[in-house]
Amino acid sequence: MLNNLIDFYLKSHPVTIGVLALLSIYFIVLNWVFFYRYFSINSWTSRESDSLESLLMGSTTVNQDSFLNNFIRTSSVISKEVLALGMLAATKEATKGLSILSIFASTTPFIGLFGTVVSILDTFTHIGGTSGNMSIIAAGVSDALVATASGIFVAIFAYTYHQILKRKSFELVSYLQMQSDAILARKA
């Protein structure tokens, strides 16, 4: 196994190795962003769910831990505008990290494809200097396709993580909207 890895490294074009290194960094970053945001949004959603439940059970205001509490406390009058401002701020906070996952999901296949194209060009250059039998072509092309496969692999995780966090953010904002509506209904 180690010999195959060393052999791949020695045969590959430096651009292909660079592409694989970049995709590795992307993969580490996207996992860090996802897990950090996932657990923080889950915790936040739990707090907002508890706050909504207390409102529905007869509480006159949101819990101290609720995101909306910051906006309610700083305003002398609870109004639709104040709560809307809180909703906008919450939406902005809840969707942090989605942009980078979206960028990774859309660019990593192209980065992998770039590494493949460069590696295939390198293979054809080497074939021109040799007898050019099919085994050389097959080995070169199969090594080159590793970059494309890596790009698609990273893109699958980035897209999946993006969709999961997008759904979690929607759920969180829904809890906040329900709290806002409950507060306004009580005020009326």
Side-chain angles (χ1 to χ4, degrees), residues 43 76 103 141:
S43 172
S76 59
I103 290 167
V141 169

Side-chain angles (χ1 to χ4, degrees), residues 40-56 61-63 65-69 72 83 86-87 90-91 94 166-184:
S40 65
I41 289 175
N42 268 350
S43 172
W44 187 5
T45 301
S46 177
R47 289 191 310 268
E48 298 303 338
S49 173
D50 292 344
S51 181
L52 176 63
E53 189 174 325
S54 71
L55 274 172
L56 295 176
T61 187
V62 296
N63 287 351
D65 294 336
S66 176
F67 189 83
L68 293 176
N69 186 46
I72 293 170
L83 293 171
M87 291 296 300
T91 302
K166 186 175 170 183
R167 176 65 189 149
K168 288 287 186 187
S169 297
F170 173 77
E171 183 181 335
L172 172 65
V173 170
S174 295
Y175 279 125
L176 290 163
Q177 185 62 53
M178 286 185 273
Q179 288 179 75
S180 179
D181 291 345
I183 291 168
L184 291 173

Side-chain angles (χ1 to χ4, degrees), residues 90-184:
T91 302
K92 181 181 176 196
E93 182 65 29
T95 57
K96 280 184 180 175
L98 288 179
S99 298
I100 196 160
L101 294 178
S102 178
I103 290 167
F104 283 7
S106 62
T107 60
T108 54
F110 296 111
I111 293 169
L113 186 60
F114 174 72
T116 297
V117 169
V118 169
S119 192
I120 288 175
L121 288 172
D122 188 51
T123 299
F124 286 140
T125 301
H126 289 302
I127 291 171
T130 64
S131 62
N133 63 28
M134 281 307 285
S135 64
I136 294 173
I137 295 171
V141 169
S142 69
D143 286 346
L145 289 173
V146 169
T148 296
S150 299
I152 292 170
F153 177 80
V154 173
I156 289 168
F157 279 92
Y159 182 74
T160 302
Y161 290 170
H162 178 271
Q163 292 301 318
I164 291 169
L165 288 180
K166 186 175 170 183
R167 176 65 189 149
K168 288 287 186 187
S169 297
F170 173 77
E171 183 181 335
L172 172 65
V173 170
S174 295
Y175 279 125
L176 290 163
Q177 185 62 53
M178 286 185 273
Q179 288 179 75
S180 179
D181 291 345
I183 291 168
L184 291 173

Side-chain angles (χ1 to χ4, degrees), residues 31-44:
N31 276 292
W32 183 86
V33 166
F34 172 72
F35 286 109
Y36 176 76
R37 295 300 300 157
Y38 182 82
F39 290 119
S40 65
I41 289 175
N42 268 350
S43 172
W44 187 5

